[in-house]
PDB file of all heavy atoms in Angstrom:
ATOM      1  N   GLY A 236     102.182 140.601  55.236  1.00  0.00           N
ATOM      2  CA  GLY A 236     101.657 141.241  56.419  1.00  0.00           C
ATOM      3  C   GLY A 236     101.189 140.320  57.509  1.00  0.00           C
ATOM      4  O   GLY A 236     100.037 140.530  58.001  1.00  0.00           O
ATOM      5  N   TYR A 237     102.000 139.364  57.903  1.00  0.00           N
ATOM      6  CA  TYR A 237     101.646 138.619  59.112  1.00  0.00           C
ATOM      7  C   TYR A 237     102.202 139.303  60.332  1.00  0.00           C
ATOM      8  O   TYR A 237     103.151 138.889  60.997  1.00  0.00           O
ATOM      9  CB  TYR A 237     102.219 137.180  59.061  1.00  0.00           C
ATOM     10  CG  TYR A 237     101.750 136.344  57.831  1.00  0.00           C
ATOM     11  CD1 TYR A 237     102.623 135.803  56.924  1.00  0.00           C
ATOM     12  CD2 TYR A 237     100.357 136.215  57.547  1.00  0.00           C
ATOM     13  CE1 TYR A 237     102.196 135.092  55.765  1.00  0.00           C
ATOM     14  CE2 TYR A 237      99.950 135.437  56.472  1.00  0.00           C
ATOM     15  CZ  TYR A 237     100.868 134.933  55.573  1.00  0.00           C
ATOM     16  OH  TYR A 237     100.405 134.300  54.524  1.00  0.00           O
ATOM     17  N   ASN A 238     101.466 140.389  60.673  1.00  0.00           N
ATOM     18  CA  ASN A 238     102.096 141.272  61.752  1.00  0.00           C
ATOM     19  C   ASN A 238     102.114 140.816  63.083  1.00  0.00           C
ATOM     20  O   ASN A 238     102.829 141.260  63.972  1.00  0.00           O
ATOM     21  CB  ASN A 238     101.289 142.623  61.649  1.00  0.00           C
ATOM     22  CG  ASN A 238      99.862 142.439  61.808  1.00  0.00           C
ATOM     23  OD1 ASN A 238      99.136 142.167  60.756  1.00  0.00           O
ATOM     24  ND2 ASN A 238      99.271 142.598  62.867  1.00  0.00           N
ATOM     25  N   TYR A 239     101.226 139.791  63.442  1.00  0.00           N
ATOM     26  CA  TYR A 239     101.212 139.326  64.818  1.00  0.00           C
ATOM     27  C   TYR A 239     102.515 138.556  65.105  1.00  0.00           C
ATOM     28  O   TYR A 239     102.823 138.492  66.300  1.00  0.00           O
ATOM     29  CB  TYR A 239     100.037 138.354  65.079  1.00  0.00           C
ATOM     30  CG  TYR A 239      98.665 139.099  64.700  1.00  0.00           C
ATOM     31  CD1 TYR A 239      98.080 138.975  63.485  1.00  0.00           C
ATOM     32  CD2 TYR A 239      98.140 139.942  65.593  1.00  0.00           C
ATOM     33  CE1 TYR A 239      96.880 139.676  63.299  1.00  0.00           C
ATOM     34  CE2 TYR A 239      96.953 140.617  65.458  1.00  0.00           C
ATOM     35  CZ  TYR A 239      96.383 140.490  64.206  1.00  0.00           C
ATOM     36  OH  TYR A 239      95.229 141.186  63.950  1.00  0.00           O
ATOM     37  N   ARG A 240     103.312 138.198  64.183  1.00  0.00           N
ATOM     38  CA  ARG A 240     104.661 137.645  64.448  1.00  0.00           C
ATOM     39  C   ARG A 240     105.567 138.577  65.129  1.00  0.00           C
ATOM     40  O   ARG A 240     106.437 138.234  65.794  1.00  0.00           O
ATOM     41  CB  ARG A 240     105.335 137.196  63.146  1.00  0.00           C
ATOM     42  CG  ARG A 240     104.961 135.998  62.428  1.00  0.00           C
ATOM     43  CD  ARG A 240     105.993 135.798  61.360  1.00  0.00           C
ATOM     44  NE  ARG A 240     105.770 134.623  60.483  1.00  0.00           N
ATOM     45  CZ  ARG A 240     106.656 134.079  59.760  1.00  0.00           C
ATOM     46  NH1 ARG A 240     107.882 134.421  59.803  1.00  0.00           N
ATOM     47  NH2 ARG A 240     106.268 132.959  58.979  1.00  0.00           N
ATOM     48  N   TRP A 241     105.223 139.904  64.950  1.00  0.00           N
ATOM     49  CA  TRP A 241     106.172 140.988  65.461  1.00  0.00           C
ATOM     50  C   TRP A 241     105.797 141.470  66.820  1.00  0.00           C
ATOM     51  O   TRP A 241     106.523 142.329  67.345  1.00  0.00           O
ATOM     52  CB  TRP A 241     106.196 142.139  64.488  1.00  0.00           C
ATOM     53  CG  TRP A 241     106.738 141.586  63.122  1.00  0.00           C
ATOM     54  CD1 TRP A 241     106.050 141.519  61.980  1.00  0.00           C
ATOM     55  CD2 TRP A 241     108.111 141.176  62.838  1.00  0.00           C
ATOM     56  NE1 TRP A 241     106.857 141.055  61.002  1.00  0.00           N
ATOM     57  CE2 TRP A 241     108.091 140.862  61.466  1.00  0.00           C
ATOM     58  CE3 TRP A 241     109.258 141.022  63.580  1.00  0.00           C
ATOM     59  CZ2 TRP A 241     109.216 140.385  60.858  1.00  0.00           C
ATOM     60  CZ3 TRP A 241     110.376 140.579  62.939  1.00  0.00           C
ATOM     61  CH2 TRP A 241     110.350 140.224  61.581  1.00  0.00           C
ATOM     62  N   ALA A 242     104.706 140.890  67.445  1.00  0.00           N
ATOM     63  CA  ALA A 242     104.474 141.179  68.878  1.00  0.00           C
ATOM     64  C   ALA A 242     105.687 140.822  69.674  1.00  0.00           C
ATOM     65  O   ALA A 242     106.111 139.610  69.550  1.00  0.00           O
ATOM     66  CB  ALA A 242     103.244 140.604  69.376  1.00  0.00           C
ATOM     67  N   PRO A 243     106.303 141.671  70.464  1.00  0.00           N
ATOM     68  CA  PRO A 243     107.499 141.303  71.235  1.00  0.00           C
ATOM     69  C   PRO A 243     107.403 140.080  72.042  1.00  0.00           C
ATOM     70  O   PRO A 243     108.300 139.231  72.126  1.00  0.00           O
ATOM     71  CB  PRO A 243     107.803 142.594  72.095  1.00  0.00           C
ATOM     72  CG  PRO A 243     107.120 143.660  71.267  1.00  0.00           C
ATOM     73  CD  PRO A 243     106.010 143.174  70.677  1.00  0.00           C
ATOM     74  N   LEU A 244     106.263 139.815  72.715  1.00  0.00           N
ATOM     75  CA  LEU A 244     106.020 138.605  73.443  1.00  0.00           C
ATOM     76  C   LEU A 244     105.833 137.387  72.623  1.00  0.00           C
ATOM     77  O   LEU A 244     106.146 136.273  73.072  1.00  0.00           O
ATOM     78  CB  LEU A 244     104.864 138.749  74.481  1.00  0.00           C
ATOM     79  CG  LEU A 244     105.150 139.718  75.625  1.00  0.00           C
ATOM     80  CD1 LEU A 244     103.885 139.901  76.433  1.00  0.00           C
ATOM     81  CD2 LEU A 244     106.259 139.160  76.580  1.00  0.00           C
ATOM     82  N   VAL A 245     105.393 137.566  71.431  1.00  0.00           N
ATOM     83  CA  VAL A 245     105.336 136.402  70.506  1.00  0.00           C
ATOM     84  C   VAL A 245     106.772 135.985  70.084  1.00  0.00           C
ATOM     85  O   VAL A 245     107.222 134.869  70.055  1.00  0.00           O
ATOM     86  CB  VAL A 245     104.520 136.696  69.262  1.00  0.00           C
ATOM     87  CG1 VAL A 245     104.714 135.620  68.166  1.00  0.00           C
ATOM     88  CG2 VAL A 245     103.060 136.825  69.581  1.00  0.00           C
ATOM     89  N   ARG A 246     107.687 137.011  69.852  1.00  0.00           N
ATOM     90  CA  ARG A 246     109.034 136.685  69.586  1.00  0.00           C
ATOM     91  C   ARG A 246     109.739 136.009  70.763  1.00  0.00           C
ATOM     92  O   ARG A 246     110.516 135.038  70.637  1.00  0.00           O
ATOM     93  CB  ARG A 246     109.866 137.977  69.195  1.00  0.00           C
ATOM     94  CG  ARG A 246     109.268 138.787  68.200  1.00  0.00           C
ATOM     95  CD  ARG A 246     109.091 138.167  66.890  1.00  0.00           C
ATOM     96  NE  ARG A 246     110.289 137.966  66.151  1.00  0.00           N
ATOM     97  CZ  ARG A 246     110.259 137.646  64.838  1.00  0.00           C
ATOM     98  NH1 ARG A 246     109.236 137.603  64.092  1.00  0.00           N
ATOM     99  NH2 ARG A 246     111.464 137.382  64.211  1.00  0.00           N
ATOM    100  N   TYR A 247     109.357 136.336  71.956  1.00  0.00           N
ATOM    101  CA  TYR A 247     109.839 135.663  73.233  1.00  0.00           C
ATOM    102  C   TYR A 247     109.303 134.259  73.205  1.00  0.00           C
ATOM    103  O   TYR A 247     110.108 133.302  73.507  1.00  0.00           O
ATOM    104  CB  TYR A 247     109.374 136.449  74.432  1.00  0.00           C
ATOM    105  CG  TYR A 247     109.894 135.847  75.733  1.00  0.00           C
ATOM    106  CD1 TYR A 247     111.232 135.564  75.925  1.00  0.00           C
ATOM    107  CD2 TYR A 247     109.018 135.514  76.786  1.00  0.00           C
ATOM    108  CE1 TYR A 247     111.676 135.034  77.210  1.00  0.00           C
ATOM    109  CE2 TYR A 247     109.396 135.063  77.911  1.00  0.00           C
ATOM    110  CZ  TYR A 247     110.691 134.763  78.120  1.00  0.00           C
ATOM    111  OH  TYR A 247     111.209 134.294  79.354  1.00  0.00           O
ATOM    112  N   ALA A 248     108.067 134.100  72.873  1.00  0.00           N
ATOM    113  CA  ALA A 248     107.577 132.622  72.804  1.00  0.00           C
ATOM    114  C   ALA A 248     108.331 131.899  71.810  1.00  0.00           C
ATOM    115  O   ALA A 248     108.641 130.685  72.039  1.00  0.00           O
ATOM    116  CB  ALA A 248     106.045 132.722  72.476  1.00  0.00           C
ATOM    117  N   LYS A 249     108.612 132.394  70.620  1.00  0.00           N
ATOM    118  CA  LYS A 249     109.416 131.693  69.668  1.00  0.00           C
ATOM    119  C   LYS A 249     110.723 131.278  70.204  1.00  0.00           C
ATOM    120  O   LYS A 249     111.270 130.198  70.010  1.00  0.00           O
ATOM    121  CB  LYS A 249     109.546 132.540  68.445  1.00  0.00           C
ATOM    122  CG  LYS A 249     110.494 132.116  67.399  1.00  0.00           C
ATOM    123  CD  LYS A 249     109.932 130.956  66.520  1.00  0.00           C
ATOM    124  CE  LYS A 249     110.675 130.777  65.324  1.00  0.00           C
ATOM    125  NZ  LYS A 249     110.306 129.477  64.547  1.00  0.00           N
ATOM    126  N   GLN A 250     111.331 132.271  70.975  1.00  0.00           N
ATOM    127  CA  GLN A 250     112.694 131.978  71.555  1.00  0.00           C
ATOM    128  C   GLN A 250     112.642 130.718  72.566  1.00  0.00           C
ATOM    129  O   GLN A 250     113.485 129.965  72.547  1.00  0.00           O
ATOM    130  CB  GLN A 250     113.254 133.228  72.190  1.00  0.00           C
ATOM    131  CG  GLN A 250     114.496 133.026  72.979  1.00  0.00           C
ATOM    132  CD  GLN A 250     114.857 134.325  73.730  1.00  0.00           C
ATOM    133  OE1 GLN A 250     114.458 135.497  73.415  1.00  0.00           O
ATOM    134  NE2 GLN A 250     115.546 134.121  74.859  1.00  0.00           N
ATOM    135  N   LEU A 251     111.554 130.766  73.386  1.00  0.00           N
ATOM    136  CA  LEU A 251     111.462 129.703  74.361  1.00  0.00           C
ATOM    137  C   LEU A 251     111.187 128.354  73.642  1.00  0.00           C
ATOM    138  O   LEU A 251     111.719 127.354  74.167  1.00  0.00           O
ATOM    139  CB  LEU A 251     110.214 129.955  75.254  1.00  0.00           C
ATOM    140  CG  LEU A 251     110.347 131.158  76.137  1.00  0.00           C
ATOM    141  CD1 LEU A 251     108.998 131.479  76.863  1.00  0.00           C
ATOM    142  CD2 LEU A 251     111.440 131.042  77.166  1.00  0.00           C
ATOM    143  N   VAL A 252     110.459 128.326  72.510  1.00  0.00           N
ATOM    144  CA  VAL A 252     110.258 127.018  71.781  1.00  0.00           C
ATOM    145  C   VAL A 252     111.611 126.588  71.155  1.00  0.00           C
ATOM    146  O   VAL A 252     112.055 125.413  71.295  1.00  0.00           O
ATOM    147  CB  VAL A 252     109.247 127.181  70.681  1.00  0.00           C
ATOM    148  CG1 VAL A 252     109.215 125.906  69.790  1.00  0.00           C
ATOM    149  CG2 VAL A 252     107.770 127.439  71.362  1.00  0.00           C
ATOM    150  N   GLU A 253     112.348 127.529  70.609  1.00  0.00           N
ATOM    151  CA  GLU A 253     113.587 127.151  69.850  1.00  0.00           C
ATOM    152  C   GLU A 253     114.704 126.762  70.691  1.00  0.00           C
ATOM    153  O   GLU A 253     115.451 125.908  70.314  1.00  0.00           O
ATOM    154  CB  GLU A 253     113.978 128.399  68.944  1.00  0.00           C
ATOM    155  CG  GLU A 253     113.160 128.731  67.725  1.00  0.00           C
ATOM    156  CD  GLU A 253     113.728 129.797  66.874  1.00  0.00           C
ATOM    157  OE1 GLU A 253     114.409 130.684  67.431  1.00  0.00           O
ATOM    158  OE2 GLU A 253     113.453 129.711  65.602  1.00  0.00           O
ATOM    159  N   THR A 254     114.655 127.293  71.811  1.00  0.00           N
ATOM    160  CA  THR A 254     115.764 126.983  72.849  1.00  0.00           C
ATOM    161  C   THR A 254     115.331 125.729  73.662  1.00  0.00           C
ATOM    162  O   THR A 254     116.157 125.230  74.557  1.00  0.00           O
ATOM    163  CB  THR A 254     116.075 128.046  73.834  1.00  0.00           C
ATOM    164  OG1 THR A 254     114.906 128.566  74.488  1.00  0.00           O
ATOM    165  CG2 THR A 254     116.717 129.236  72.997  1.00  0.00           C
ATOM    166  N   GLY A 255     114.209 125.137  73.453  1.00  0.00           N
ATOM    167  CA  GLY A 255     113.829 123.845  74.099  1.00  0.00           C
ATOM    168  C   GLY A 255     113.339 124.022  75.432  1.00  0.00           C
ATOM    169  O   GLY A 255     113.104 122.971  76.133  1.00  0.00           O
ATOM    170  N   ARG A 256     113.070 125.258  75.898  1.00  0.00           N
ATOM    171  CA  ARG A 256     112.549 125.372  77.287  1.00  0.00           C
ATOM    172  C   ARG A 256     111.155 124.869  77.576  1.00  0.00           C
ATOM    173  O   ARG A 256     110.750 124.599  78.727  1.00  0.00           O
ATOM    174  CB  ARG A 256     112.732 126.824  77.694  1.00  0.00           C
ATOM    175  CG  ARG A 256     114.188 127.261  77.897  1.00  0.00           C
ATOM    176  CD  ARG A 256     114.304 128.716  78.147  1.00  0.00           C
ATOM    177  NE  ARG A 256     113.771 129.192  79.371  1.00  0.00           N
ATOM    178  CZ  ARG A 256     113.629 130.463  79.774  1.00  0.00           C
ATOM    179  NH1 ARG A 256     114.081 131.384  79.019  1.00  0.00           N
ATOM    180  NH2 ARG A 256     113.090 130.697  80.965  1.00  0.00           N
ATOM    181  N   VAL A 257     110.331 124.660  76.465  1.00  0.00           N
ATOM    182  CA  VAL A 257     109.089 123.989  76.724  1.00  0.00           C
ATOM    183  C   VAL A 257     109.151 122.496  76.295  1.00  0.00           C
ATOM    184  O   VAL A 257     108.065 121.903  76.342  1.00  0.00           O
ATOM    185  CB  VAL A 257     107.958 124.765  75.935  1.00  0.00           C
ATOM    186  CG1 VAL A 257     107.687 126.174  76.364  1.00  0.00           C
ATOM    187  CG2 VAL A 257     108.227 124.775  74.436  1.00  0.00           C
ATOM    188  N   GLY A 258     110.277 122.147  75.923  1.00  0.00           N
ATOM    189  CA  GLY A 258     110.437 120.629  75.639  1.00  0.00           C
ATOM    190  C   GLY A 258     109.953 120.307  74.204  1.00  0.00           C
ATOM    191  O   GLY A 258     109.864 121.102  73.240  1.00  0.00           O
ATOM    192  N   THR A 259     109.692 118.950  74.117  1.00  0.00           N
ATOM    193  CA  THR A 259     109.234 118.455  72.739  1.00  0.00           C
ATOM    194  C   THR A 259     107.772 118.933  72.525  1.00  0.00           C
ATOM    195  O   THR A 259     106.988 118.697  73.413  1.00  0.00           O
ATOM    196  CB  THR A 259     109.321 116.936  72.796  1.00  0.00           C
ATOM    197  OG1 THR A 259     110.641 116.542  73.086  1.00  0.00           O
ATOM    198  CG2 THR A 259     108.852 116.350  71.471  1.00  0.00           C
ATOM    199  N   PRO A 260     107.565 119.471  71.354  1.00  0.00           N
ATOM    200  CA  PRO A 260     106.178 119.997  71.110  1.00  0.00           C
ATOM    201  C   PRO A 260     105.168 118.838  71.140  1.00  0.00           C
ATOM    202  O   PRO A 260     105.444 117.739  70.553  1.00  0.00           O
ATOM    203  CB  PRO A 260     106.263 120.542  69.712  1.00  0.00           C
ATOM    204  CG  PRO A 260     107.657 120.877  69.545  1.00  0.00           C
ATOM    205  CD  PRO A 260     108.410 119.930  70.281  1.00  0.00           C
ATOM    206  N   THR A 261     103.987 119.055  71.800  1.00  0.00           N
ATOM    207  CA  THR A 261     102.988 118.015  71.870  1.00  0.00           C
ATOM    208  C   THR A 261     101.587 118.505  71.371  1.00  0.00           C
ATOM    209  O   THR A 261     100.884 117.865  70.597  1.00  0.00           O
ATOM    210  CB  THR A 261     102.827 117.489  73.252  1.00  0.00           C
ATOM    211  OG1 THR A 261     102.525 118.513  74.138  1.00  0.00           O
ATOM    212  CG2 THR A 261     104.071 116.711  73.743  1.00  0.00           C
ATOM    213  N   HIS A 262     101.210 119.749  71.813  1.00  0.00           N
ATOM    214  CA  HIS A 262      99.912 120.263  71.461  1.00  0.00           C
ATOM    215  C   HIS A 262      99.982 121.700  70.926  1.00  0.00           C
ATOM    216  O   HIS A 262     100.850 122.408  71.404  1.00  0.00           O
ATOM    217  CB  HIS A 262      98.927 120.223  72.609  1.00  0.00           C
ATOM    218  CG  HIS A 262      98.792 118.926  73.294  1.00  0.00           C
ATOM    219  ND1 HIS A 262      99.712 118.426  74.179  1.00  0.00           N
ATOM    220  CD2 HIS A 262      97.859 118.020  73.227  1.00  0.00           C
ATOM    221  CE1 HIS A 262      99.357 117.163  74.621  1.00  0.00           C
ATOM    222  NE2 HIS A 262      98.149 116.938  74.074  1.00  0.00           N
ATOM    223  N   TYR A 263      99.044 122.086  70.011  1.00  0.00           N
ATOM    224  CA  TYR A 263      98.938 123.442  69.664  1.00  0.00           C
ATOM    225  C   TYR A 263      97.496 123.830  69.359  1.00  0.00           C
ATOM    226  O   TYR A 263      96.804 123.054  68.703  1.00  0.00           O
ATOM    227  CB  TYR A 263      99.769 123.717  68.435  1.00  0.00           C
ATOM    228  CG  TYR A 263      99.826 125.158  67.973  1.00  0.00           C
ATOM    229  CD1 TYR A 263     100.825 126.039  68.369  1.00  0.00           C
ATOM    230  CD2 TYR A 263      98.784 125.804  67.270  1.00  0.00           C
ATOM    231  CE1 TYR A 263     100.849 127.369  68.120  1.00  0.00           C
ATOM    232  CE2 TYR A 263      98.786 127.023  66.929  1.00  0.00           C
ATOM    233  CZ  TYR A 263      99.849 127.904  67.337  1.00  0.00           C
ATOM    234  OH  TYR A 263      99.945 129.224  66.941  1.00  0.00           O
ATOM    235  N   ARG A 264      97.006 124.864  69.879  1.00  0.00           N
ATOM    236  CA  ARG A 264      95.624 125.361  69.636  1.00  0.00           C
ATOM    237  C   ARG A 264      95.682 126.833  69.200  1.00  0.00           C
ATOM    238  O   ARG A 264      96.113 127.672  69.999  1.00  0.00           O
ATOM    239  CB  ARG A 264      94.735 125.271  70.855  1.00  0.00           C
ATOM    240  CG  ARG A 264      94.491 123.771  71.236  1.00  0.00           C
ATOM    241  CD  ARG A 264      93.909 123.684  72.586  1.00  0.00           C
ATOM    242  NE  ARG A 264      94.761 124.225  73.602  1.00  0.00           N
ATOM    243  CZ  ARG A 264      95.874 123.704  74.149  1.00  0.00           C
ATOM    244  NH1 ARG A 264      96.409 122.621  73.540  1.00  0.00           N
ATOM    245  NH2 ARG A 264      96.601 124.320  75.067  1.00  0.00           N
TER     246      ARG A 264
END
């Protein structure tokens, strides 16, 4: 039950990361 994964805008954020549009990961909070 990690339900926050299923927020539509979270899935969009995942897509942006995976397609490289935010570049090389540097920070996460």
Side-chain angles (χ1 to χ4, degrees):
Y237 298 128
N238 52 282
Y239 299 98
R240 282 193 185 200
W241 299 110
L244 287 174
V245 169
R246 308 302 289 197
Y247 180 53
K249 172 73 167 176
Q250 175 186 334
L251 293 174
V252 172
E253 288 186 331
T254 56
R256 288 174 64 186
V257 294
T259 302
T261 56
H262 305 78
Y263 186 92
R264 293 167 303 286

